[in-house]
């Protein structure tokens, strides 16, 4: 299954009566409440709201990043509460270039859920009807099995990689933040030593993803001889990194991994090295 679905394809599925769970993932890091407010004002009919802080993140400890992953147990409970059973077709969308939808896509894929796609172009691509009545999720009738995250890299692995250099880190943040400039979200600026920079917005033409062929060309130039399985994605808090991971998969580069704690976890320990 392609990681993306077009608005026309989605409309056909909805009109056919096929069972699909639409997940509105709109969010704003600066104003965390505006996503849900926007959903309540207008959304694709039948969509539920999936919140980055409440549903797609775990408890923060002060040293594990701004959006730590929930434990596999907690994520299984959330999937059950949202009505995501193993055979549910999930289509995620947002209005921020598919950033938050990509986080949901990765979390489902990483825990064994095969039928999940991101609406290419997000809400901007949707020309169908809009609804104003929020949908309360219908919980699953049975418990959802707990699955570990596949392709997840922990901070100790990244520390160890500083010496071995077996993997290459790709940082999805904007170039200025990568170089320690204009940092407004985290207390320390800079990047993990040895990381490369691929701003997630470089995956897009306006709000839609570039073609697989164009993405293949660009990632091939970036990676050179580096294999996809040797790539670790990170960003500020493990969200936009999922965008790069999805773009690589769309381009045919499968098997790259995610350091979910990302820069906000890395810089929380002053003993970890920083590069500018």
């Amino acid at each position: 299954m392609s990681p993306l679905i077009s608005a026309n394809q989605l409309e056909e599925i909805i009109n056919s009566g096929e069972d699909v769970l639409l997940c509105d993932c709109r969010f704003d890091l600066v104003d965390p409440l505006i996503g849900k407010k926007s959903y309540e004002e207008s959304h694709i009919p039948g969509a539920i709201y999936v919140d980055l802080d409440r549903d797609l993140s775990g408890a923060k400890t002060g040293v594990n990043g701004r959006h730590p992953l929930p434990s596999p147990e907690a994520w299984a409970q959330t999937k059950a509460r949202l009505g995501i059973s193993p055979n549910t077709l999930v289509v995620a969308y947002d209005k921020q270039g598919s950033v938050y939808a990509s986080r949901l896509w990765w979390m489902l894929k990483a825990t064994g859920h095969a039928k999940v796609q991101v609406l290419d172009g997000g809400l901007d691509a949707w020309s169908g009807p809009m609804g104003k009545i929020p949908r309360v999720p219908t919980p699953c009738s049975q418990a959802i099995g707990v699955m570990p995250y596949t392709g997840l890299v922990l901070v100790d692995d990244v520390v160890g990689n500083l010496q071995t250099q077996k993997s290459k880190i790709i940082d999805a943040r904007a170039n200025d933040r990568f170089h320690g400039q204009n940092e407004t979200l985290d207390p320390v600026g800079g990047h993990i030593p040895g990381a490369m920079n691929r701003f997630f917005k470089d995956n897009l033409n306006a709000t839609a993803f570039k073609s697989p062929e164009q993405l293949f060309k660009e990632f091939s130039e970036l990676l050179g001889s580096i294999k996809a399985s040797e790539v670790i994605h990170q960003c500020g808090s493990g969200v936009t990194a999922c965008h790069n991971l999805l773009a690589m998969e769309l381009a045919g580069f499968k098997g790259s991994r995610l350091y979910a704690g990302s820069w906000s976890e890395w810089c929380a320990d002053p003993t970890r090295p920083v590069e500018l």
Side-chain angles (χ1 to χ4, degrees):
M1 177 174 284
S2 169
L4 297 180
I5 184 171
S6 70
N8 287 339
Q9 290 172 323
L10 176 59
E11 196 162 16
E12 288 177 6
I13 289 175
I14 293 173
N15 291 338
S16 72
E18 182 179 342
D19 187 28
V20 57
L21 180 63
L22 298 169
C23 294
D24 188 316
C25 301
R26 281 177 283 178
F27 195 81
D28 189 301
L29 296 177
V30 178
D31 186 354
L33 300 179
I34 198 169
K36 186 176 182 181
K37 181 181 178 182
S38 298
Y39 163 79
E40 291 170 345
E41 292 174 351
S42 182
H43 53 266
I44 299 177
I48 63 171
Y49 183 69
V50 178
D51 187 271
L52 174 64
D53 282 339
R54 180 187 179 216
D55 302 313
L56 304 182
S57 301
K60 291 184 280 190
T61 64
V63 294
N64 63 346
R66 286 183 280 111
H67 296 105
L69 286 175
S71 68
E73 294 78 11
W75 178 226
Q77 292 173 3
T78 296
K79 285 188 285 186
R81 174 171 53 80
L82 295 176
I84 303 176
S85 64
N87 294 320
T88 303
L89 170 60
V90 176
V91 174
Y93 71 87
D94 58 42
K95 199 176 169 62
Q96 290 80 27
S98 298
V99 167
Y100 305 105
S102 295
R103 167 84 167 207
L104 174 58
W105 171 84
W106 184 87
M107 289 176 64
L108 287 174
K109 291 281 288 185
T111 51
H113 192 98
K115 298 172 66 175
V116 55
Q117 294 177 293
V118 169
L119 177 59
D120 193 18
L123 200 55
D124 291 326
W126 179 256
S127 59
M130 297 292 285
K132 295 182 178 295
I133 302 175
R135 175 183 170 185
V136 177
T138 303
C140 296
S141 57
Q142 296 180 333
I144 299 300
V146 177
M147 296 283 289
Y149 295 102
T150 58
L152 176 63
V153 176
L154 302 179
V155 65
D156 289 344
D157 301 318
V158 181
V159 171
N161 189 67
L162 293 175
Q163 299 299 322
T164 65
Q165 291 294 304
K166 289 183 178 180
S167 298
K168 196 66 179 178
I169 296 172
I170 297 180
D171 190 323
R173 293 176 298 163
N175 188 260
D176 57 346
R177 290 185 64 208
F178 177 78
H179 289 294
Q181 303 162 1
N182 304 318
E183 180 58 70
T184 59
L185 294 172
D186 294 305
V188 179
H191 59 264
I192 298 171
M196 299 187 296
N197 186 215
R198 165 78 180 187
F199 187 27
F200 79 91
K201 288 187 178 180
D202 290 341
N203 300 324
L204 302 172
N205 280 323
T207 59
F209 279 84
K210 294 176 179 176
S211 69
E213 295 77 16
Q214 182 63 29
L215 290 171
F216 177 84
K217 178 178 182 294
E218 293 179 13
F219 276 103
S220 294
E221 292 172 352
L222 177 67
L223 296 175
S225 61
I226 301 169
K227 299 176 182 178
S229 59
E230 298 170 339
V231 172
I232 298 172
H233 294 280
Q234 57 99 181
C235 54
S237 63
V239 179
T240 58
C242 297
H243 200 277
N244 273 349
L245 204 148
L246 187 152
M248 277 189 60
E249 181 152 325
L250 186 63
F253 295 105
K254 298 185 178 182
S256 59
R257 295 169 292 161
L258 174 69
Y259 168 37
S262 287
W263 181 250
S264 55
E265 178 182 50
W266 184 267
C267 73
D269 185 341
T271 66
R272 297 182 188 127
V274 172
E275 195 167 82
L276 297 175

